[in-house]
Amino acid sequence: MDVLFYISAIVAILATVFMLTRLNPVHALLYLTVSLLAVSVVFYTLGAPFMAALEIVIYAGAIMVLFVFVVMLLNLGRHTIDTERTWVTPGMFTGPAILAAILVGEVSYLLARSGPRTPAAAVVGPHQVAMSLYGPYLLGVELASFLLLGALVGAYHVGSRRARGRTGVNGSDRVRIATGGDLVRTGADRPSGAA
Amino acid sequence: MNPVLLKIIVLVGILLVVLGLASGLIWLERRLLALWQDRYGPNRVGPFGLLQVMADMIKIFFKEDWIPPFADKWVFVFAPSIVMITVLLTFAIIPFTSVIQITDMNVGILFFLGMSSLGVYSVVLGGWASNNKYSLLGGMRAASQMLSYEVFMGLSLMGTVMLAGSFSLRAIVEAQQHMWFVIPQFLGFVLFFIAGVAETRRLPFDLPEAESELVAGFHSEYSGMKFGMFFVGEYLGVILISALISVLFFGGWLGPVLPPVVWIILKTLFFICFFILLRAALPRPRFDQLMSWGWKWMLPLTLANLAVTGAVVVAMRR
């Protein structure tokens, strides 16, 4: 298991470095996905299969697909790569590198002080995760659900404002609303006129 | 027998049977569709036209494997393999019988959900890397369709998980000794089936490759064996969802008289035929209808099913 841990940890680090240095946004996102998958394997080798599964389902499978979707929606062409080329310069990495070096120093100090890494005492299955989530951490779960509900209501408000026709209604939209047309189709995903 | 050897035999056996079945399905689908449309279908090559699959395979292997100059080469080559990898990996957790199972994970269902959500990348990246507007539209449709339907695909299974008290597929089958979960979880079964059809992008949910509007959608630019991988991957997905439905809702290998292997094969074949019948029977909806159907009907129904099942389970435990 130790070997698996080190291999996947190295893969995660390399993938993250490549993610930072790629010029094409979709390639960068692919490297980030690989990095998340590697982190998932790290979780698995540390005895947390539930966390490993959730890492794939939520981060690699849902959030990253949304990112890819947005990048595709914007349909960034060749000129983005040129823009990125002017942005991604070696000098840009100095600040983050110094901060990361401080963290690396801290982690190695902690590791050196507490001796060699002890492997996970026991495998933490879904049952234990659920018991602690709905036991000592119940308040945290409730707060997270408040936040998500707030985000949901906010997203609905932002998404439905144009459909209700309060702002930025052009001719065709007004006709469609007047005739009781399908509100879904007048959303922002349908550029009207010359756009 | 040596347990390692047994494991290897099971692994290779499952791989061969599943791949063989997937290519056999091409023939089965064409024959069944023809039957329901009052014609014969492929019946010239070999007995009952069975060798048609071989002929198609030979043809597809010898076709020109063309990568368009405007495509993003590496992503274009890599995309078709993702669907094969993720679907085949999921077969590792399916308990075909109490012996024939590659690994019994205690997070089995979550593993399946994770793999199926990674499978989306295949279609999305295939569509993006082709650098063609129809492919891109197909890929975008695939992304939004599969993200929406994945949400309640996972939630529709949680009723079963609650009743069995485990994510492990083997434990779920063993919990169905006395009653198949399709009876207390009928709504969950229907919702999972619909989500499964959407996940495999079969008609009526094949909008990412709607021929009448998008040429061939995300695989417009693909040819030769790369197209073949998308094609076989789709059939592998059908087998996977059918096997999962038999395992989760219809008692898996459990059944009287006949040996367990025969039961799981019969149940799986039944649902595969149902997939094909759906293709023959249903028209394709419009894309906004598909999305609003998913979010406005399926998701609330799933949540209601979840709440009621949870309440009943809690009441029964008292």
Side-chain angles (χ1 to χ4, degrees):
Chain A
M1 281 311 225
D2 253 7
V3 179
L4 288 182
F5 171 83
Y6 285 115
I7 293 174
S8 47
I10 291 169
V11 169
I13 293 171
L14 283 182
T16 313
V17 170
F18 279 124
M19 186 273 282
L20 288 170
T21 51
R22 287 310 91 177
L23 298 175
N24 188 322
V26 172
H27 293 177
L29 286 175
L30 280 181
Y31 275 112
L32 186 53
T33 312
V34 172
S35 160
L36 288 169
L37 292 179
V39 172
S40 158
V41 178
V42 168
F43 275 129
Y44 196 88
T45 53
L46 289 180
F50 188 72
M51 277 306 300
L54 284 192
E55 179 90 15
I56 293 181
V57 173
I58 296 173
Y59 286 98
I63 295 179
M64 292 314 295
V65 175
L66 269 183
F67 279 20
V68 174
F69 179 70
V70 169
V71 170
M72 277 168 67
L73 202 66
L74 299 173
N75 201 7
L76 307 165
R78 302 256 174 244
H79 63 275
T80 356
I81 297 177
D82 299 332
T83 326
E84 283 281 320
R85 191 164 285 135
T86 58
W87 286 350
V88 182
T89 52
M92 192 200 76
F93 286 108
T94 28
I98 293 170
L99 294 177
I102 295 173
L103 282 180
V104 170
E106 279 186 355
V107 170
S108 28
Y109 170 70
L110 285 175
L111 284 181
R113 210 180 54 169
S114 62
R117 188 180 65 89
T118 48
V123 172
V124 182
H127 187 249
Q128 286 95 314
V129 175
M131 290 313 278
S132 52
L133 268 187
Y134 289 94
Y137 299 107
L138 184 61
L139 189 66
V141 175
E142 298 271 336
L143 285 176
S145 67
F146 280 176
L147 261 181
L148 285 176
L149 186 65
L152 197 67
V153 173
Y156 177 76
H157 180 69
V158 171
S160 68
R161 198 164 53 183
R162 264 199 68 191
R164 262 189 250 119
R166 252 192 274 143
T167 52
V169 178
N170 60 24
S172 67
D173 275 357
R174 201 174 294 133
V175 170
R176 219 176 279 155
I177 290 165
T179 53
D182 191 349
L183 290 183
V184 177
R185 306 184 66 187
T186 59
D189 58 329
R190 299 259 171 152
S192 51
Chain B
M1 204 196 290
N2 186 347
V4 177
L5 193 67
L6 184 73
K7 193 122 265 185
I8 291 172
I9 291 174
V10 166
L11 205 151
V12 175
I14 289 179
L15 186 68
L16 288 181
V17 168
V18 161
L19 282 178
L21 190 60
S23 46
L25 274 189
I26 302 171
W27 172 82
L28 182 75
E29 172 156 47
R30 290 178 66 186
R31 282 310 293 248
L32 281 180
L33 281 179
L35 195 74
W36 285 318
Q37 293 166 353
D38 209 11
R39 52 192 175 86
Y40 284 120
N43 64 348
R44 295 288 133 174
V45 196
F48 306 107
L50 264 171
L51 292 181
Q52 183 71 44
V53 176
M54 294 300 295
D56 287 346
M57 277 291 152
I58 293 169
K59 185 190 104 176
I60 214 165
F61 269 111
F62 285 95
K63 268 188 149 181
E64 185 188 358
D65 193 8
W66 189 64
I67 300 174
F70 45 80
D72 190 314
K73 195 177 164 207
W74 292 109
V75 183
F76 186 84
V77 173
F78 179 58
S81 62
I82 301 177
V83 66
M84 294 286 277
I85 294 170
T86 54
V87 176
L88 283 177
L89 271 178
T90 318
F91 276 104
I93 56 154
I94 302 235
F96 290 96
T97 71
S98 48
V99 186
I100 307 177
Q101 183 184 20
I102 297 172
T103 173
D104 183 38
M105 286 177 113
N106 65 351
V107 288
I109 286 187
L110 290 175
F111 182 78
F112 155 66
L113 291 174
M115 284 302 131
S116 85
S117 54
L118 287 184
V120 184
Y121 280 106
S122 184
V123 180
V124 173
L125 291 176
W128 175 79
S130 300
N131 208 356
N132 162 326
K133 59 189 163 202
Y134 296 113
S135 304
L136 188 68
L137 281 172
M140 274 165 41
R141 281 184 176 187
S144 42
Q145 169 183 329
M146 289 168 93
L147 274 175
S148 315
Y149 278 70
E150 238 159 44
V151 172
F152 66 82
M153 176 183 233
L155 287 174
S156 66
L157 290 179
M158 289 309 134
T160 319
V161 173
M162 272 190 239
L163 289 177
S166 173
F167 282 112
S168 149
L169 289 171
R170 181 190 295 240
I172 288 174
V173 173
E174 279 159 2
Q176 298 179 67
Q177 288 281 3
H178 303 294
M179 182 169 56
W180 287 356
F181 280 156
V182 68
I183 299 165
Q185 279 295 309
F186 185 72
L187 194 58
F189 157 65
V190 174
L191 292 164
F192 178 71
F193 188 78
I194 294 174
V197 179
E199 221 28 51
T200 48
R201 304 180 301 283
R202 296 276 303 177
L203 257 154
F205 296 109
D206 71 336
L207 284 129
E209 48 183 303
E211 305 88 354
S212 52
E213 26 192 309
L214 293 183
V215 190
F218 63 90
H219 59 63
S220 300
E221 297 289 350
Y222 281 89
S223 59
M225 204 47 217
K226 289 201 200 69
F227 164 75
M229 277 176 44
F230 277 128
F231 198 58
V232 174
E234 186 180 314
Y235 284 107
L236 282 175
V238 171
I239 300 173
L240 177 70
I241 298 289
S242 305
L244 268 172
I245 289 173
S246 336
V247 165
L248 291 167
F249 296 101
F250 288 85
W253 68 81
L254 302 173
V257 190
L258 296 171
V261 182
V262 178
W263 273 113
I264 185 91
I265 289 176
L266 280 181
K267 288 170 184 172
T268 308
L269 274 180
F270 175 79
F271 288 107
I272 291 174
C273 291
F274 199 77
F275 263 91
I276 297 172
L277 178 61
L278 273 187
R279 173 170 176 181
L282 291 178
R284 186 186 287 144
R286 226 171 46 215
F287 192 66
D288 59 318
Q289 290 172 332
L290 178 93
M291 294 301 280
S292 55
W293 165 252
W295 286 106
K296 289 180 188 163
W297 285 99
M298 307 304 279
L299 185 64
L301 270 177
T302 319
L303 290 176
N305 179 41
L306 197 63
V308 172
T309 313
V312 171
V313 167
V314 170
M316 298 277 273
R317 295 252 166 93
R318 281 279 156 79

